[in-house]
């Protein structure tokens, strides 16, 4: 039995958490103007924040593309270059398809597949370059992961177009066999969802192809490796339980961020009983998991979504400005690492959506009633979301200013011409 003490800090006898990233998924019916929106906040204290851009292009048959792991720079190998690629601006393409992600640990035996050629960043970019709808992006990602393998840990992706928002989760097959297993669920219109470094997809209705997509062996592979009992009925299978079982750390650090978002957009309504799931979000009752999505009672605007990204969970039971770590000035920030050991116990600070080690962040907005060139907007910022000014980049652009790209600066040299450094400077002084 694990002993847990909640006094602002959390005492756990579990493995350390080192993942970061929070995404909120907003359907047409949950937004104020009928657009789909998704937030993206990747975290790393060792990465420079810049905006990715690649133009539309046609490639000769037989052209190869070199693949590198985005986190380590490790060379993974070569894949076939698509014969045509769409324009991509950050996490959105010229057809208003957008993809966001957060990493989950998953089963250790399935991490870092030897010989795999695609990491999370590469598969995102390729899917955006190859797809015109969210469903097509999911199929392309599943197909590529099967063909080339998937390198890294598990990933949750939010995938949206002008009409639909989906959640997809994927993890490699490790050393067992080449490829990956995955599942995807469409978020009901009018609902919102979120993911924050913990797999969240539960049951898969294999008879409902309109709302569910999955790898053919998603269940049989789990049985093969012993992740679930061979006697378990297919109807009782849950992706997250098989491939990323919850523990106290992931409940408190990851699912608590989802809980806070759901609580904010439902405002105590019957759509989400936040009190009912509080013990789960605190890591006290791991059998009491939350729904994948909830119906929002507020019509979320772009500005609302940007402020939700800036949340430190103020006013909730997880508010870091109220615990002992806040010190005299009620600071919400906790310095990395968030976990540490003392006297054979693991201690942990609360993880929040807004974080000082976020290196870039964005809100993708897809507006189907407008031409793709102006309908798709990426509201892009750098550094901590709490201190970011978000600049609209329309999908009709054919280039980005040098200051916002990879040539705008480096992580180790200050520059007044770099938004990343200027934003960091202002936030440090604030």
């Amino acid at each position: 039995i694990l002993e847990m003490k909640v006094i602002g800090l959390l005492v756990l006898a579990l493995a350390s958490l080192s993942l970061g990233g929070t995404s909120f998924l907003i359907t047409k019916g949950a937004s104020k103007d009928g657009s789909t929106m998704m937030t993206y906040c990747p975290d790393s204290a060792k990465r420079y924040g810049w905006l990715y851009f690649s133009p539309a292009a046609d490639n000769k048959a037989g052209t190869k593309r070199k693949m590198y792991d985005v986190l380590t720079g490790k060379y993974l190998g070569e894949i076939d270059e698509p014969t045509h690629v769409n324009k991509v601006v950050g996490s959105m393409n010229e057809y208003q398809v957008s993809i966001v992600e957060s990493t989950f640990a998953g089963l250790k035996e399935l991490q870092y597949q030897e010989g795999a050629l695609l990491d999370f960043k590469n598969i995102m970019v390729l899917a955006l370059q190859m797809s015109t709808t969210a469903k097509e992006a999911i199929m392309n990602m599943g197909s590529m992961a099967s063909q080339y393998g998937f390198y890294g840990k598990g990933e949750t992706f939010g995938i949206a177009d002008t009409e639909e928002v989906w959640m997809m989760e994927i993890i490699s097959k490790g050393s067992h066999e080449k490829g990956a297993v995955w599942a995807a669920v469409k978020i009901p219109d009018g609902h919102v969802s979120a993911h924050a470094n913990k797999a969240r997809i539960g049951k898969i209705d294999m008879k409902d192809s309109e709302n569910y997509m999955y790898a053919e062996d998603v269940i049989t592979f789990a049985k093969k490796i012993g992740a679930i009992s061979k006697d378990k009925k297919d109807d009782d299978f849950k992706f997250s339980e098989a491939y990323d079982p919850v523990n106290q750390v992931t409940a408190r650090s990851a699912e608590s961020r989802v809980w806070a978002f759901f609580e904010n957009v439902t405002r105590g309504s019957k759509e989400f009983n936040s009190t009912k799931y509080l013990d789960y979000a605190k890591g006290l009752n791991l059998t009491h998991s939350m729904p994948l999505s909830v119906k929002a009672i507020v019509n979320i605007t772009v500005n609302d979504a940007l402020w939700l990204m800036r949340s430190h969970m103020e006013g909730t039971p997880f508010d870091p400005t109220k615990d002992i770590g806040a010190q005299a000035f009620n600071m919400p920030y906790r310095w990395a690492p968030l976990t540490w050991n003392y006297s054979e116990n693991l201690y942990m600070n609360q993880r929040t959506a807004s974080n000082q080690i976020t290196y870039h962040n964005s809100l993708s907005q897809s507006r189907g009633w407008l031409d793709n060139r102006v309908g798709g907007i990426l509201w892009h910022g750098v550094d901590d979301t709490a201190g970011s000014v978000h600049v609209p980049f329309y999908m009709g652009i054919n280039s980005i200013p040098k200051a916002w790209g990879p040539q705008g600066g480096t992580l180790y040299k200050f520059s007044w011409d770099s938004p990343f450094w200027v934003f960091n400077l202002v936030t440090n002084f604030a």
Side-chain angles (χ1 to χ4, degrees):
I1 298 175
L2 297 172
E3 180 183 6
M4 177 181 290
K5 299 177 182 178
V6 183
I7 315 176
L9 301 176
L10 193 61
V11 184
L12 299 172
L14 293 171
S16 176
L17 180 73
S18 60
L19 308 173
T22 308
S23 292
F24 303 142
L25 317 182
I26 303 164
T27 61
K28 288 176 60 177
S31 69
K32 182 73 171 180
D33 63 359
S35 60
T36 63
M37 295 185 284
M38 298 194 300
T39 69
Y40 186 29
C41 307
D43 297 336
S44 173
K46 300 178 181 179
R47 297 186 65 79
Y48 176 79
W50 54 276
L51 179 61
Y52 177 86
F53 176 85
S54 62
D58 293 311
N59 300 303
K60 292 182 179 179
T63 304
K64 300 292 184 179
R65 184 185 300 195
K66 295 183 183 296
M67 294 285 102
Y68 297 88
D69 175 36
V70 69
L71 298 179
T72 64
K74 176 183 176 180
Y75 176 66
L76 301 177
E78 290 183 340
I79 68 167
D80 295 325
E81 185 78 64
T83 55
H84 175 79
V85 292
N86 304 323
K87 177 172 55 182
V88 178
V89 183
S91 58
M92 180 180 274
N93 73 14
E94 61 183 292
Y95 293 97
Q96 303 193 56
V97 176
S98 57
I99 305 177
V100 300
E101 58 79 30
S102 69
T103 303
F104 62 85
L107 300 178
K108 190 172 182 179
E109 65 183 288
L110 303 183
Q111 297 175 5
Y112 299 102
Q113 184 175 60
E114 191 67 29
L117 301 181
L118 298 179
D119 71 346
F120 73 91
K121 182 64 175 180
N122 289 319
I123 204 168
M124 287 172 67
V125 170
L126 282 162
L128 290 170
Q129 290 179 325
M130 297 166 62
S131 310
T132 59
T133 67
K135 276 189 173 182
E136 186 180 10
I138 294 167
M139 290 304 299
N140 282 330
M141 293 168 79
S143 175
M144 287 188 291
S146 176
Q147 179 180 359
Y148 295 118
F150 188 71
Y151 186 80
K153 299 181 180 179
E155 287 289 335
T156 304
F157 296 101
I159 305 174
D161 55 29
T162 59
E163 301 299 317
E164 300 177 344
V165 179
W166 289 72
M167 183 182 291
M168 178 184 188
E169 293 183 328
I170 185 170
I171 192 167
S172 86
K173 295 181 178 179
S175 61
H176 297 279
E177 57 186 86
K178 185 180 179 181
V181 287
W182 59 273
V185 181
K186 185 166 71 173
I187 307 304
D189 194 35
H191 280 224
V192 299
S193 189
H195 54 88
N197 310 123
K198 168 72 184 76
R200 304 206 63 245
I201 292 177
K203 291 185 177 182
I204 304 168
D205 187 345
M206 297 189 168
K207 298 177 182 178
D208 184 0
S209 59
E210 286 298 312
N211 296 295
Y212 296 86
M213 302 169 70
Y214 51 88
E216 290 184 357
D217 60 349
V218 66
I219 298 178
T220 56
F221 179 75
K223 291 180 177 181
K224 174 183 175 180
I225 66 172
I228 60 173
S229 169
K230 291 183 179 180
D231 298 327
K232 195 178 189 71
K233 295 181 179 179
D234 289 359
D235 289 344
D236 295 329
F237 171 82
K238 295 182 180 179
F239 185 94
S240 57
E241 285 187 1
Y243 295 112
D244 187 35
V246 67
N247 58 44
Q248 288 178 295
V249 169
T250 53
R252 180 63 189 258
S253 65
E255 294 286 72
S256 61
R257 283 176 270 162
V258 176
W259 180 94
F261 172 62
F262 284 178
E263 197 273 340
N264 199 313
V265 299
T266 56
R267 308 283 174 85
S269 75
K270 64 179 181 180
E271 300 300 337
F272 179 69
N273 186 337
S274 58
T275 302
K276 177 181 177 181
Y277 296 105
L278 182 58
D279 59 348
Y280 171 75
K282 285 183 174 181
L284 300 175
N285 182 355
L286 301 182
T287 65
H288 203 192
S289 58
M290 295 182 294
L292 183 68
S293 67
V294 298
K295 185 176 181 180
I297 68 163
V298 293
N299 293 319
I300 301 170
T301 66
V302 167
N303 196 47
D304 292 335
L306 294 176
W307 277 103
L308 287 164
M309 292 169 65
R310 297 178 174 122
S311 170
H312 297 112
M313 305 167 87
E314 293 90 345
T316 75
F318 306 101
D319 189 344
T321 68
K322 303 299 182 183
D323 70 29
I324 191 172
Q327 302 184 50
F329 298 101
N330 298 322
M331 288 290 291
Y333 298 106
R334 302 294 182 271
W335 313 122
L338 289 178
T339 59
W340 68 96
N341 291 291
Y342 179 74
S343 297
E344 299 183 355
N345 285 321
L346 179 70
Y347 290 78
M348 174 183 165
N349 276 313
Q350 180 62 48
R351 175 71 168 83
T352 60
S354 184
N355 189 294
Q356 73 275 8
I357 65 170
T358 298
Y359 60 102
H360 72 81
N361 63 89
S362 61
L363 171 70
S364 58
Q365 183 185 19
S366 300
R367 303 181 293 176
W369 64 94
L370 295 172
D371 185 283
N372 288 331
R373 291 169 292 181
V374 294
I377 308 177
L378 188 77
W379 300 86
H380 181 74
V382 287
D383 192 37
D384 184 356
T385 55
S388 280
V389 175
H390 292 87
V391 178
F393 287 87
Y394 289 81
M395 293 305 104
I397 63 175
N398 292 316
S399 63
I400 60 172
K402 177 181 177 181
W404 289 96
Q407 306 304 317
T410 70
L411 183 62
Y412 301 107
K413 185 177 181 180
F414 178 86
S415 170
W416 285 108
D417 296 325
S418 163
F420 175 82
W421 277 111
V422 174
F423 282 34
N424 268 277
L425 180 67
V426 172
T427 305
N428 285 340
F429 284 157

